[in-house]
Amino acid sequence: MNSYPHLFSPISIGQTTVKNRVFMPPISTNLAKKGYVTDELVAHYSARAKGGVGLIVTEVTTVEPTYIYLPGDMSICDDSYIPGWKKLTDAVHQYGAKIMPQLFHPAYMAFPIPGTPRLIAPSHVGPYYAKEAPRPVTKEELKVIIRQFGEAANRVKQAGGDGVEIHAAHAHGLLGGFLSPLYNKRTDEYGGDLNGRLRLTLEVIAEVRKTCGDDFIIDVRISGDEYTDGGQNLNDGIYVAKQLEKAGVDFIHISGGTTIMRGSSIPAPGTPMGSHVKLSQEIKQHISIPVATVGRITEPWLAEELIANQKTDICMMGRANLCDPEFVSKAQSGREREIRPCIGCLRCLNGIMFGKRIACTVNPSLELENEDTIKEAEEKKKILVIGGGPAGMEAAFAAKKRGHHVVLCEKEDSLGGLMRLASVPIAKQDLVRVIQYMAYKLEQAGVEVRLNCTVTKELLMQEFSDYQVIAGTGASSIAIPELTKFKQWMTADDILAGKAFPGRKVVVVGGGSVGCETADYLAPLVNDKFLRNREIIVLEMADGVMLQESGPGRSLLVQRMQKKGVELICKAKVERVDSDHIYYQKDGKECCISDADTLVFALGYQSDSQIESLLKECNVCYQIIGDAKKVGNIKDAVTAGYLAAKEI
């Protein structure tokens, strides 16, 4: 029985029928090489096609050779790229999926590779990213660029592609910049009112249609609303959609926000799923061609609801299919519990701007060999995994998949390790789904899990004497002994675990992720000066808070703290305390907080070294993984567990 009849029904796009309503939107991978399709890129997209996606829009694909968006992005700026694209389209088509690139001119968003000429833009405006003001592109140059879009689309058609997406959203790149009043200050026919700003996109559409014919899909990605003062609003979005339909576009990919307003276009973890659906719902009422919505649609029930309730015709599901290439087939066959859950953390994109390949916190491998294709071990062994955090759970699962006999021992009464505490702060609730998913995997794989089981010397010397050990016993919170003289102190973990309860004026020492998330958790939801509201101060030695993080999650967390009245004091080093006072240095002066009732340590973690001493004493073969070896994030832990099992 199909639990999602709307989601898995076919849809007509122009003259093409797509088998279902799950489309994959563009997500940069950095898997191309000098713009050319690689075998790894083919494997990446064909895995999603095999998993059941109806249509794939690839990552940014540049139409001309001068300006590079990302070092590992794709191109189709001349005929030499056609053979690689043919290999890609053939690989995707064998599974019944459709594929089309997102055609893009980066303009003022181009990567500043040495030798790149001065960047171009609609106007001189460019203070958000550019190191110097870009120069306005000339009308003669626009004629060349329009032709380049048409030629690029024609190469896609020659390579067997089903169409192209034209990127004009997010005040991003040349077309998005021309469409947005934030960037377009021109006074010629390509600027001024909305018709002028839309003109370039319409001319590109006309060129592509003339070059490629009516049987070639053209979709345009727009921001239905830029959510920004001075930007486009929903009224503009409705009008633009109507003009695109008149121009012969086959469907419209409706996003929202801009790249310069962090968290508006790519939603942060913990924010509502279906972040731009209000835009697609409204615009859908005014046009007859299909509309697609996008933005943190990570669960099949939601995608089904959005289509069934006529809020959209198509769900663009990027991170869900990145996290689990079998997302569609698992949902369609009623295996929802087996879907690897996307937590919206955006680790997938964190390193992209620095030339790193795409990655995923929950999926330890996006390579040719991964969790689903891991090879059986030639020699089967007995494996003891100590610790049921993310590193230990992943190691146990991967080792079992390789054919080993695996026992996992966890000293607590449930699995998850520090991930259970990490799920407590605001906007972190999706981590609970990861714990559930990983525990279910262990159950399905047949791993023996022993809870409330502390591994002792006796166990190692007797029952597990012939076992190889993988130890992922995690890490513990750091507390500075000299500062524990304060009348009430606790760690952030104590609070998140419910082991300690702070008072009304709380000083958090440490402005990293844990400190800020704990401050956010403790602060009043409404900063209304209610007498029982807590007062929170964060003291951080560095120049700013959460300097190791980037992206919309960090941005929204900092915004929330400030709205709630959390006082963020940076460049502040706590020097000493007594029972009632906290003294810190800032700008060469000693400052004192005399009315706080609670001191909270959020100074990071230290690895647990006790287990290694025990394993050495028992003379067993072992590996230390995750935080027990080196403190890191969830992605580090999961990857370490996977790699440890691969090596046995």
Side-chain angles (χ1 to χ4, degrees):
M1 178 182 174
N2 182 3
S3 301
Y4 310 104
H6 295 86
L7 186 60
F8 296 122
S9 63
I11 184 170
S12 294
I13 304 292
Q15 299 181 20
T16 303
T17 300
V18 181
K19 64 182 179 181
N20 61 47
R21 313 295 182 95
V22 181
F23 288 17
M24 187 169 179
I27 300 180
S28 292
T29 65
N30 271 342
L31 296 179
K33 190 171 183 179
K34 295 184 178 179
Y36 289 93
V37 172
T38 59
D39 289 344
E40 198 170 12
L41 201 53
V42 172
H44 174 78
Y45 285 118
S46 61
R48 276 81 198 159
K50 182 181 179 183
V53 170
L55 183 147
I56 294 170
V57 182
T58 74
E59 61 216 80
V60 161
T61 304
T62 53
V63 300
E64 58 83 53
T66 306
Y67 300 102
I68 307 299
Y69 179 54
L70 292 174
D73 264 337
M74 303 165 78
S75 183
I76 196 158
C77 65
D78 64 49
D79 290 354
S80 67
Y81 294 91
I82 293 175
W85 272 94
K86 182 72 168 66
K87 187 174 183 179
L88 175 58
T89 58
D90 287 348
V92 167
H93 285 157
Q94 68 177 315
Y95 299 111
K98 308 299 180 185
I99 184 167
M100 42 200 273
Q102 183 187 71
L103 296 188
F104 186 66
H105 189 303
Y108 50 94
M109 300 291 188
F111 201 84
I113 294 173
T116 301
R118 186 177 177 186
L119 304 185
I120 60 172
S123 308
H124 282 299
V125 180
Y128 308 108
Y129 285 129
K131 293 182 179 179
E132 64 174 348
R135 66 172 179 83
V137 62
T138 68
K139 288 194 285 185
E140 288 303 310
E141 288 173 319
L142 289 179
K143 291 177 183 177
V144 174
I145 291 169
I146 292 165
R147 188 181 73 245
Q148 288 171 330
F149 270 96
E151 291 170 348
N154 190 45
R155 292 185 194 107
V156 173
K157 186 170 185 178
Q158 291 177 55
D162 300 286
V164 294
E165 174 170 280
I166 296 167
H167 188 3
H170 308 149
H172 191 55
L174 190 67
L175 300 184
F178 262 83
L179 194 51
S180 176
L182 294 170
Y183 281 104
N184 189 338
K185 313 294 182 179
R186 296 173 77 101
T187 56
D188 62 13
E189 62 267 38
Y190 289 99
D193 67 6
L194 185 52
N195 287 307
R197 302 197 309 272
L198 181 58
R199 179 172 180 151
L200 178 59
T201 298
L202 294 179
E203 290 181 356
V204 167
I205 293 166
E207 182 72 13
V208 171
R209 183 63 76 203
K210 181 181 75 174
T211 305
C212 297
D214 293 336
D215 60 344
F216 189 74
I217 298 172
I218 300 177
D219 124 60
V220 179
R221 189 177 201 185
I222 64 169
S223 287
D225 190 325
E226 290 182 341
Y227 310 136
T228 305
D229 289 346
Q232 291 185 96
N233 57 46
L234 181 54
N235 291 329
D236 300 327
I238 294 168
Y239 181 79
V240 167
K242 288 181 178 180
Q243 305 316 305
L244 294 177
E245 180 176 23
K246 289 178 184 177
V249 167
D250 296 302
F251 80 95
I252 303 177
H253 178 178
I254 300 168
S255 185
T258 69
T259 55
I260 54 178
M261 183 181 174
R262 281 178 289 279
S264 64
S265 60
I266 303 178
T271 54
M273 292 193 292
S275 53
H276 305 305
V277 74
K278 290 181 180 178
L279 307 180
S280 64
Q281 180 180 14
E282 181 62 31
I283 291 173
K284 179 175 161 56
Q285 297 178 43
H286 300 280
I287 58 176
S288 58
I289 57 175
V291 300
T293 193
V294 70
R296 232 175 87 80
I297 306 171
T298 58
E299 298 183 54
W301 70 265
L302 175 66
E304 172 70 16
E305 283 288 299
L306 296 180
I307 297 169
N309 297 337
Q310 299 187 359
K311 295 185 177 183
T312 188
D313 300 298
I314 297 157
C315 286
M316 290 278 182
M317 305 178 72
R319 287 177 277 177
N321 282 293
L322 178 73
C323 187
D324 193 336
E326 297 291 322
F327 175 92
V328 174
S329 61
K330 289 176 181 178
Q332 202 161 9
S333 58
R335 295 180 291 135
E336 290 91 346
R337 290 185 72 186
E338 295 179 28
I339 294 174
R340 187 183 291 112
C342 170
I343 59 174
C345 65
L346 291 171
R347 293 280 175 199
C348 48
L349 298 179
N350 275 6
I352 291 292
M353 292 302 292
F354 305 103
K356 296 181 181 178
R357 54 170 289 138
I358 196 165
C360 177
T361 290
V362 187
N363 185 349
S365 177
L366 297 175
E367 300 170 16
L368 298 179
E369 184 182 15
N370 54 55
E371 268 192 333
D372 302 316
T373 61
I374 194 169
K375 295 169 185 170
E376 277 208 15
E378 292 182 10
E379 179 188 354
K380 306 300 190 291
K381 297 180 179 180
K382 294 180 180 179
I383 309 294
L384 169 65
V385 177
I386 306 174
M393 287 194 286
E394 182 61 35
F397 172 75
K400 184 69 175 179
K401 284 218 45 168
R402 297 198 67 212
H404 300 300
H405 172 72
V406 182
V407 178
L408 185 153
C409 294
E410 165 56 48
K411 66 179 181 180
E412 302 290 343
D413 60 1
S414 59
L415 296 170
L418 285 177
M419 202 156 45
R420 285 185 296 149
L421 304 188
S423 70
V424 173
I426 292 167
K428 300 294 290 294
Q429 61 270 17
D430 281 346
L431 289 177
V432 172
R433 295 174 56 220
V434 179
I435 299 171
Q436 291 176 324
Y437 162 75
M438 296 186 82
Y440 182 71
K441 280 200 311 180
L442 295 176
E443 178 188 326
Q444 293 301 105
V447 173
E448 181 184 345
V449 176
R450 300 183 189 179
L451 300 176
N452 298 304
C453 179
T454 300
V455 175
T456 61
K457 182 178 179 180
E458 289 71 31
L459 273 176
L460 287 170
M461 298 296 288
Q462 296 173 19
E463 182 179 357
F464 297 120
S465 61
D466 57 344
Y467 280 64
Q468 190 164 327
V469 177
I470 300 175
T473 48
S476 56
S477 300
I478 295 172
I480 300 175
E482 294 79 13
L483 302 185
T484 59
K485 298 173 185 175
F486 194 71
K487 57 190 171 188
Q488 177 172 245
W489 68 269
M490 58 195 65
T491 68
D493 282 9
D494 291 335
I495 294 170
L496 299 177
K499 294 178 180 178
F501 195 73
R504 291 291 160 189
K505 182 157 185 179
V506 181
V507 175
V508 179
V509 182
S513 295
V514 174
C516 288
E517 287 173 357
T518 304
D520 183 35
Y521 172 65
L522 294 175
L525 292 176
V526 179
N527 184 19
D528 60 357
K529 303 299 181 183
F530 185 62
L531 291 178
R532 290 183 59 79
N533 282 355
R534 282 195 181 93
E535 185 179 345
I536 313 292
I537 299 172
V538 176
L539 299 176
E540 168 56 44
M541 287 177 58
D543 292 348
V545 296
M546 296 179 68
L547 294 183
Q548 303 304 312
E549 296 293 331
S550 61
R554 177 199 176 280
S555 176
L556 293 187
L557 173 53
V558 173
Q559 290 178 55
R560 274 201 308 275
M561 286 192 292
Q562 293 185 111
K563 287 177 183 175
K564 292 176 176 183
V566 174
E567 187 176 358
L568 303 175
I569 305 176
C570 297
K571 300 181 182 179
K573 182 180 180 182
V574 179
E575 297 281 0
R576 58 192 175 93
V577 304
D578 57 32
S579 177
D580 298 306
H581 302 85
I582 299 167
Y583 298 92
Y584 66 93
Q585 284 280 339
K586 180 173 172 61
D587 300 328
K589 298 178 182 178
E590 184 176 77
C591 305
C592 177
I593 300 172
S594 59
D595 55 349
D597 53 39
T598 309
L599 177 65
V600 177
F601 291 109
L603 298 168
Y605 297 88
Q606 55 192 1
S607 298
D608 178 4
S609 60
Q610 295 180 357
I611 189 65
E612 187 163 17
S613 300
L614 177 61
L615 294 171
K616 285 179 178 177
E617 182 183 346
C618 295
N619 197 30
V620 298
C621 180
Y622 70 89
Q623 293 184 72
I624 306 293
I625 62 170
D627 283 352
K629 183 176 183 180
K630 181 182 178 182
V631 175
N633 54 40
I634 295 171
K635 178 187 179 302
D636 297 330
V638 173
T639 301
Y642 171 72
L643 293 176
K646 265 183 73 172
E647 292 167 4
I648 294 176

